Amino acid sequence: MATAALETTDTRTRLIEAAVDLFTRHSFAGTSLQMIADELGFTKAAIYHHFRTREQLLAAVLEPILDELRTIVDSAETRRTAHSRAEHMLSGYAALTVRNRGLVAVLAADPSVAAVLIERAEWGDLIKRQLALLADVDPGPAGEVKAAMVFAGMAGAAGPTWGTFDDAALQEHLVDAGRRTLGLRAPRRS
Amino acid sequence: MATAALETTDTRTRLIEAAVDLFTRHSFAGTSLQMIADELGFTKAAIYHHFRTREQLLAAVLEPILDELRTIVDSAETRRTAHSRAEHMLSGYAALTVRNRGLVAVLAADPSVAAVLIERAEWGDLIKRQLALLADVDPGPAGEVKAAMVFAGMAGAAGPTWGTFDDAALQEHLVDAGRRTLGLRAPRRS
């Protein structure tokens, strides 16, 4: 029994890892359960045991990221000023993006995922709260455009496509670029 | 003959329009020729008459955009200073993005398209020249990260997902946000 449980956990983890890799390369809509089965040498039946639909697999892939994002958003919203809320959101999102290269691009820039995010109210609401935290430094359309640029731009810059940066440098540069975009000053060191 | 030629042109145009719409919503990899056929009430044979593969259809969709981008890149590269080259690239890309909402996101942020762009040397090279023009204001990794943020961020902000802005306002805000990100001053009016 213990061995079977362990195998089940292991299979689930391998399925999620293969899904992340394929979603990142082929987009969510371009990845079928069959492709994931082929990648791992599994039967489709083995996958169905864990995930009935591709949307369930997407949820399993994104939920850890969205949980982290929720923690950052919740914490940012408690800050006193619009600037400190944006600063907290920005640095948290940069760290999340660097820890989950490529996968955050699936969340923020894959058009086939955007459709799913909007449909799932709790996901769409979370992204809207994130965008509001970034936009409220400069309320109105200018601030909204800057927030959208930071949201999609950081994800794209951390993606694997056009360059490779080491994690620490990438995170520092992302925060710096995001601050410039939003018009935030670097916080004073205490 | 004239009528047949006209119908052929019209069918090709309708195929491309349907492809743009579906690529924008479902990603390139998530759109099959069958889906495009269904959308238009065509048979797959009718599509094969115009496009043998999905990659040929992607090329037909992206080529007008890439031609415009090439004109902007060529022109920007003739400018004298890194700042004026970046300024020209930035404002040209913002205008291109606004004129082709959603579709530039397919170009800049769809992971399944990135793979095709990299494989087609003349496309990949063009994007690299664009990124270099944006990055050279601040040579090194910091500039590369900012360039990647502008490239993916502008495309994402102009996409249909998270907000709707009128064209003129969007273009102005994109240029302003891009200048902030790259550290460019607004050019003096002459």
Side-chain angles (χ1 to χ4, degrees), chain A residues 28 58 106-107 110-120 123, chain B residues 24-26 161-162:
Chain A
F28 164 61
L58 180 69
V106 170
L107 173 71
D110 183 330
S112 52
V113 172
V116 179
L117 288 176
I118 286 171
E119 262 171 46
R120 300 255 308 222
W123 291 356
Chain B
T24 308
R25 285 190 288 134
H26 301 291
T161 307
W162 299 110

Side-chain angles (χ1 to χ4, degrees), chain A residues 87 175 179 184-190:
Chain A
E87 175 65 32
V175 170
R179 279 188 193 134
L184 293 174
R185 293 215 186 140
R188 266 170 276 171
R189 290 173 191 278
S190 51

Side-chain angles (χ1 to χ4, degrees), chain B residues 107-169:
Chain B
L107 173 72
D110 184 331
S112 52
V113 171
V116 179
L117 289 175
I118 286 171
E119 263 170 45
R120 299 253 313 220
E122 87 267 24
W123 292 356
D125 288 350
L126 181 64
I127 307 289
K128 283 180 196 155
R129 286 165 64 201
Q130 171 180 11
L131 289 171
L133 283 162
L134 298 172
D136 283 353
V137 180
D138 179 11
E144 288 170 32
V145 169
K146 288 186 270 188
M149 259 189 70
V150 166
F151 176 64
M154 279 195 175
T161 307
W162 299 110
T164 47
F165 305 101
D166 106 306
D167 280 4

